[in-house]
Amino acid sequence: GENVEQHPSTLSVQEGDSAVIKCTYSDSASNYFPWYKQELGKRPQLIIDIRSNVGEKKDQRIAVTLNKTAKHFSLHITETQPEDSAVYFCAASKNSGAGSYQLTFGKGTKLSVIP
Amino acid sequence: NAGVTQTPKFRVLKTGQSMTLLCAQDMNHEYMYWYRQDPGMGLRLIHYSVGEGTTAKGEVPDGYNVSRLKKQNFLLGLESAAPSQTSVYFCASRGRSPGLAGHEQYFGPGTRLTVT
């Protein structure tokens, strides 16, 4: 099955600096890569995603890049703010039958933005 | 529009007891999923459903059963709870979409289960 590795497990940055979280996946058939943000005690929420036919996607201060050849994708957060502090999860997915698109998650990165 | 809701929010069980977690969604979504979240382990898929009356095993199905008798509800059952099933359980749902569009899974607020 799919295996998703995520690094680093913890990341501390000064407010205003950039943060980068990296993930690798094992199944070359995976074609959908979402990123979820989970604040303490809350549910995971999608912040950005990318399909395999796209190399980069941006949404204001966040961006995701995908290298299909190397099977890795990254989340970039610029101009970090204290409210960016949370646990971030990457995931990989493919159609596993009947359109199910099961997600395999990385183990998460705890981002702390220091004011 | 409540989205995805879960019942109960918290529960403490003794080893060997049984319980059912209820997930409900009001978005007319075809696909529903149950995950467990343990510290340092991310979210792991337990079971999922691609439509009313269907269920399938995920990555960690042992010790759990599920049912999807109505499209809007997805039940997760623990027949004989074990301490290893202490976890936070999240339900999620997703709508049907053509191709690769619309793959966002919407998560419920979670159920914190402790088995002593």
Side-chain angles (χ1 to χ4, degrees):
Chain A
E2 175 67 277
N3 181 49
V4 177
E5 300 280 345
Q6 183 172 347
H7 300 279
S9 56
T10 60
L11 179 60
S12 291
V13 299
Q14 292 287 84
E15 182 177 357
D17 287 350
S18 295
V20 180
I21 303 170
K22 298 181 179 182
C23 290
T24 61
Y25 62 98
S26 61
D27 190 341
S28 57
S30 289
N31 56 10
Y32 172 67
F33 307 92
W35 287 87
Y36 282 82
K37 176 183 180 181
Q38 186 179 30
E39 297 176 351
L40 188 63
K42 301 290 182 62
R43 72 189 79 188
Q45 292 194 299
L46 180 73
I47 56 170
I48 195 167
D49 58 14
I50 192 167
R51 273 68 171 177
S52 60
N53 58 346
V54 175
E56 182 175 359
K57 183 177 178 180
K58 289 187 70 173
D59 183 3
Q60 299 183 346
R61 294 187 298 109
I62 59 174
V64 58
T65 59
L66 171 65
N67 184 326
K68 282 203 69 178
T69 303
K71 289 190 281 189
H72 66 70
F73 55 113
S74 301
L75 177 71
H76 304 253
I77 306 174
T78 59
E79 301 172 14
T80 53
Q81 301 167 3
E83 51 265 38
D84 294 329
S85 296
V87 178
Y88 291 81
F89 293 97
C90 64
S93 173
K94 64 177 183 180
N95 189 348
S96 301
S100 61
Y101 282 94
Q102 300 167 44
L103 293 178
T104 300
F105 284 87
K107 293 184 178 180
T109 296
K110 183 177 181 181
L111 174 64
S112 300
V113 180
I114 304 163
Chain B
N1 190 336
V4 182
T5 58
Q6 292 183 231
T7 309
K9 289 185 171 54
F10 304 94
R11 184 73 184 268
V12 178
L13 287 180
K14 294 186 187 306
T15 297
Q17 288 184 320
S18 63
M19 77 163 295
T20 300
L21 285 68
L22 171 64
C23 176
Q25 52 91 8
D26 60 3
M27 297 176 282
N28 200 33
H29 282 172
E30 292 291 333
Y31 305 99
M32 297 188 74
Y33 309 83
W34 274 109
Y35 296 91
R36 61 176 290 172
Q37 184 175 36
D38 303 295
M41 294 296 293
L43 293 108
R44 292 181 292 170
L45 183 65
I46 305 171
H47 285 280
Y48 65 97
S49 169
V50 300
E52 182 179 319
T54 74
T55 63
K57 295 180 180 179
E59 179 187 352
V60 289
D62 294 343
Y64 305 95
N65 56 75
V66 287
S67 64
R68 182 106 181 263
L69 299 179
K70 294 183 179 180
K71 185 177 183 179
Q72 64 268 34
N73 296 338
F74 195 27
L75 280 63
L76 178 71
L78 286 74
E79 290 187 346
S80 179
S84 60
Q85 294 178 304
T86 293
S87 187
V88 179
Y89 292 85
F90 285 99
C91 174
S93 72
R94 178 177 72 81
R96 182 183 296 281
S97 57
L100 294 176
H103 282 279
E104 179 176 359
Q105 289 189 18
Y106 295 85
F107 283 80
T111 294
R112 184 173 295 276
L113 175 66
T114 302
V115 183
T116 61

